[in-house]
Amino acid sequence: MSGLAAGIRLAHYDQSVCILEKHWTIGGLNSFYRTNGRNYDVGLHAVTNFTPRGTKKGPLARLLRQLRFRWEDFELSPQVGSAIAFPGVRLGFNNDIDCLRSEIARAFPAEVDNFERLLSQLADYDDLDQENFGGSARAFLAQTLQDPLLIEMILCPLMWYGNARPDDMDYGQFCIMFRSIFLEGFARPYKGVRLILKHLIKRFRSLGGELRLRSGVESIRVEGTRAVGVVLENGEEITAKRILSSAGVIETQRLCDNLSQLEPQKAGQLTFIESISILDKQPKDVGFGETIVFYNDSPHFHWRPPDEQLCDTRTGVICSPNNYLYPSHSGELEDGVIRLTTIADYQRWKQLDDKEYVRAKMWWYDRSVASAVRFIPDFRSHVIDTDVFTPKTIRRFTSHDNGAVYGAPDKQLDGTTHLSNLFLCGTDQGFVGIVGAIVSGISMANMHCLRDPG
Amino acid sequence: MTPAEIRDEIIDILSEIAPDEDLSGLQDEQSFREQMELDSMDFLDIVMELRKRHRIQIPEEEYGELASMASTVRYLEPKMANI
């Protein structure tokens, strides 16, 4: 996704661009697969950063302008409403911050003023300016809010949707995620992420860009301090003036054939399983009308890889693609779908043999759903089909080490690498989510390939 | 190009960058940033479009000249006189 966005920018300004996609399908983590005659989205629970038509500020408006799309093109329908559920407390929120405001006034009346203070501090954060990115989000929140439970509840969705670091979060990432989820919000195209991908590819090709599928990069050719081209898995060599890599920071370094000089960097650890349930009716007809529910079953939010098991079901995200305000002419989605995301451990999943793997998928489907139905109505008697994707699936789609969904904890915000003409885009550059991936591709193309056309 | 033609060209570029924007009420003396909330990426786009369409090179230290319509037209007039 970030690569396509960068490609559109560069092709628009008449550069010769070739996008190399390892798989037979596009989109990296923001992709989809088909099994049992049904389409399953991977990645996309929601498009975050949703702002209404006519909004001039924010990442969505920015990417539409940069890629010359109209707001209507992405056919985004806003969420119905979501919630953060902890034992005994539930905070609802939607795409209007007043909803969360009033929920906090109801559940945490002593925090009303502190929350306003928090909002005003966040309003000034500029996501194109990297200087204040570092620092602890927990420390910042502890200075602003009094009630530890409210801090945990606010962090829960933000970490779930974009934190590569266990336990704590970079201050900058916190600000970006807070805005994308609470101040802007969730939306989804009726036809899913495919629609956005389709638009990006069509535009890229119409500008003369070349997209090659099943063209994995075996290595990046290096001469001195420059990358001179890539070697594909089939042996073909392609030369290039500049290379943008969305493979991840460590993964990209590994592709370079002068690896020995590099300092080892830490790969991300946070990865998931996702349990998908197809229901015999719409989720709202079994009592689940919310768009996304982030739950955690104790007052402290556990955001770290599982200690001993394949998964940790104490926290999770429940969502339904059905629960968006789709236009009346689209109607409802055909299948009732509930998706449930649970923290998992890549290494343990990887070690399973084929038989154990299949069994583990079934076992953890049951465990994770049993955990989730403590926070939403029990839908299990309506399930007609299920699928589970695991850290192994995520690894296959993203090529990220450990299947780390949000990549490495230490982001390379300026996209530079040890080579002067090799740059990163996508997750490890810093922006996450669909809008984040697109903005990442745009900003890296602007910064490194357009300002100095060389 | 005459100043009026340069203005039309800039309007055309702005309408490509921001197709949802109504540009009929644009105030020439007021900054683009205030009226359209353009950010640094958008200014890069104005520069890039001028380069693409007319091969005009604008050095990065002179991007500030593009703050408003009036200043942009003034700045581009000598550069676009022979186009």
Side-chain angles (χ1 to χ4, degrees):
Chain A
M1 214 101 175
S2 59
L4 271 170
I8 290 174
R9 286 291 294 168
L10 299 178
H12 177 79
Y13 288 116
D14 302 327
Q15 297 198 14
S16 160
V17 191
C18 179
I19 296 179
L20 300 167
E21 166 63 56
K22 187 186 179 83
H23 298 276
W24 50 269
T25 179
I26 46 153
L29 184 55
N30 292 314
S31 191
F32 54 89
Y33 61 93
R34 199 172 162 81
T35 181
N36 292 347
R38 291 191 170 91
N39 289 318
Y40 291 91
D41 280 334
V42 191
L44 180 98
H45 279 182
V47 176
T48 57
N49 299 95
F50 174 76
T51 44
R53 188 196 161 127
T55 307
K56 293 175 188 175
K57 272 192 169 171
L60 177 62
R62 181 183 289 144
L63 83 84
L64 293 171
R65 287 204 299 270
Q66 288 276 302
L67 301 183
R68 312 286 192 266
F69 283 110
R70 292 184 170 271
W71 187 86
E72 295 80 359
D73 290 337
F74 287 180
E75 295 177 38
L76 292 171
S77 298
Q79 65 164 324
V80 172
S82 296
I84 309 159
F86 276 52
V89 199
R90 202 176 179 97
L91 288 175
F93 66 97
N94 58 22
N95 294 353
D96 180 351
I97 187 67
D98 283 344
C99 173
L100 182 60
R101 251 194 195 108
S102 64
E103 285 285 280
I104 286 175
R106 177 185 57 77
F108 297 92
E111 295 282 359
V112 170
D113 293 340
N114 291 335
F115 186 66
E116 286 309 315
R117 214 148 50 85
L118 176 71
L119 291 180
S120 66
Q121 283 169 303
L122 294 179
D124 299 331
Y125 187 78
D126 176 1
D127 59 10
L128 294 181
D129 177 7
Q130 305 152 5
E131 282 192 8
N132 302 315
F133 191 86
S136 156
R138 283 189 176 278
F140 166 73
L141 285 168
Q143 285 166 10
T144 320
L145 301 172
Q146 301 283 323
D147 194 322
L149 180 59
L150 180 58
I151 294 177
E152 299 297 315
M153 291 185 80
I154 285 177
L155 284 172
C156 175
L158 309 188
M159 291 209 193
W160 258 112
Y161 273 5
N163 186 20
R165 208 178 275 292
D167 302 318
D168 202 349
M169 194 169 187
D170 286 323
Y171 171 72
Q173 192 72 1
F174 168 79
C175 295
I176 291 170
M177 296 307 300
F178 190 98
R179 186 171 77 184
S180 75
I181 291 174
F182 293 134
L183 299 178
E184 297 175 338
F186 299 140
R188 183 182 185 275
Y190 178 80
K191 292 173 197 145
V193 69
R194 285 168 218 96
L195 177 101
I196 296 176
L197 283 168
K198 205 179 77 184
H199 278 302
L200 294 175
I201 289 175
K202 205 172 139 195
R203 175 63 58 82
F204 177 64
R205 288 198 161 132
S206 76
L207 291 166
E210 183 188 358
L211 171 63
R212 294 208 208 170
L213 301 176
R214 300 185 86 152
S215 300
V217 172
E218 180 74 39
S219 65
I220 296 171
R221 272 281 147 85
V222 179
E223 278 178 16
T225 58
R226 290 179 64 82
V228 293
V230 296
V231 182
L232 302 187
E233 283 164 357
N234 68 7
E236 188 185 345
E237 293 193 31
I238 301 176
T239 58
K241 259 198 217 166
R242 290 184 203 82
I243 299 171
L244 284 173
S245 168
S246 62
V249 56
I250 307 163
E251 297 82 353
T252 299
Q253 290 183 352
R254 197 178 299 135
L255 290 173
C256 295
D257 48 19
N258 66 342
L259 182 74
S260 58
Q261 312 163 10
L262 297 167
E263 286 176 33
Q265 293 211 28
K266 218 174 137 238
Q269 298 289 334
L270 281 152
T271 189
F272 311 137
I273 63 162
E274 185 150 291
S275 315
I276 302 165
S277 306
I278 310 292
L279 310 185
D280 61 3
K281 49 177 77 173
Q282 295 285 313
K284 67 173 177 349
D285 297 328
V286 303
F288 181 57
E290 288 161 310
T291 307
I292 304 175
V293 173
F294 302 86
Y295 70 86
N296 187 72
D297 70 2
S298 70
H300 184 77
F301 172 50
H302 318 282
W303 183 250
R304 46 172 34 258
D307 288 331
E308 285 163 2
Q309 294 185 295
L310 288 166
C311 297
D312 180 347
T313 61
R314 293 177 296 176
T315 180
V317 184
I318 312 157
C319 78
S320 171
N322 302 81
N323 295 339
Y324 287 84
L325 300 167
Y326 296 121
S328 50
H329 62 81
S330 310
E332 289 177 328
L333 293 181
E334 203 177 318
D335 292 317
V337 179
I338 292 182
R339 293 171 58 180
L340 167 60
T341 311
T342 304
I343 296 177
D345 182 301
Y346 173 73
Q347 293 302 333
R348 291 196 188 93
W349 278 95
K350 199 184 97 174
Q351 282 158 14
L352 301 176
D353 66 34
D354 289 353
K355 242 185 185 165
E356 289 170 332
Y357 181 72
V358 173
R359 215 175 316 140
K361 277 170 75 161
M362 288 166 66
W363 163 255
W364 285 101
Y365 171 87
D366 288 343
R367 290 281 299 272
S368 58
V369 173
S371 175
V373 296
R374 295 176 298 165
F375 298 91
I376 65 164
D378 193 342
F379 58 85
R380 285 177 288 189
S381 60
H382 297 280
V383 174
I384 52 171
D385 199 1
T386 66
D387 195 38
V388 177
F389 70 78
T390 72
K392 284 176 73 175
T393 325
I394 296 171
R395 158 104 188 133
R396 199 163 60 237
F397 273 99
T398 63
S399 305
H400 283 170
D401 280 8
N402 302 326
V405 172
Y406 301 126
D410 294 315
K411 300 302 179 194
Q412 195 66 35
L413 296 170
D414 64 5
T416 55
T417 67
H418 65 296
L419 300 178
S420 60
N421 61 339
L422 171 66
F423 306 102
L424 302 172
C425 63
T427 310
D428 279 354
Q429 186 264 318
F431 297 117
V432 297
I434 287 186
V435 169
I438 296 175
V439 170
S440 168
I442 292 171
S443 45
M444 291 303 103
N446 287 353
M447 197 183 292
H448 300 300
C449 310
L450 289 177
R451 291 214 161 148
D452 167 28
Chain B
M1 277 187 172
T2 65
E5 286 168 334
I6 295 173
R7 187 183 188 281
D8 285 348
E9 183 65 7
I10 300 297
I11 291 281
D12 196 60
I13 289 172
L14 291 174
S15 66
E16 192 186 314
I17 295 171
D20 295 323
E21 191 84 28
D22 176 14
L23 297 166
S24 58
L26 193 78
Q27 301 290 317
D28 283 16
E29 296 296 336
Q30 211 184 336
S31 77
F32 292 132
R33 198 178 284 270
E34 275 170 41
Q35 294 179 82
M36 303 176 59
E37 306 205 25
L38 298 188
D39 59 27
S40 55
M41 285 190 181
D42 300 313
F43 284 99
L44 175 67
D45 259 26
I46 299 175
V47 172
M48 291 299 302
E49 286 292 337
L50 287 166
R51 185 191 291 170
K52 180 178 170 174
R53 296 176 182 205
H54 304 291
R55 295 168 196 269
I56 295 171
Q57 298 284 352
I58 301 176
E60 205 155 335
E61 56 273 18
E62 290 172 19
Y63 285 10
E65 304 286 341
L66 309 179
S68 71
M69 180 62 91
S71 71
T72 304
V73 174
R74 263 198 306 277
Y75 172 72
L76 291 174
E77 223 185 305
K79 291 181 183 285
M80 296 177 76
N82 298 324
I83 296 173

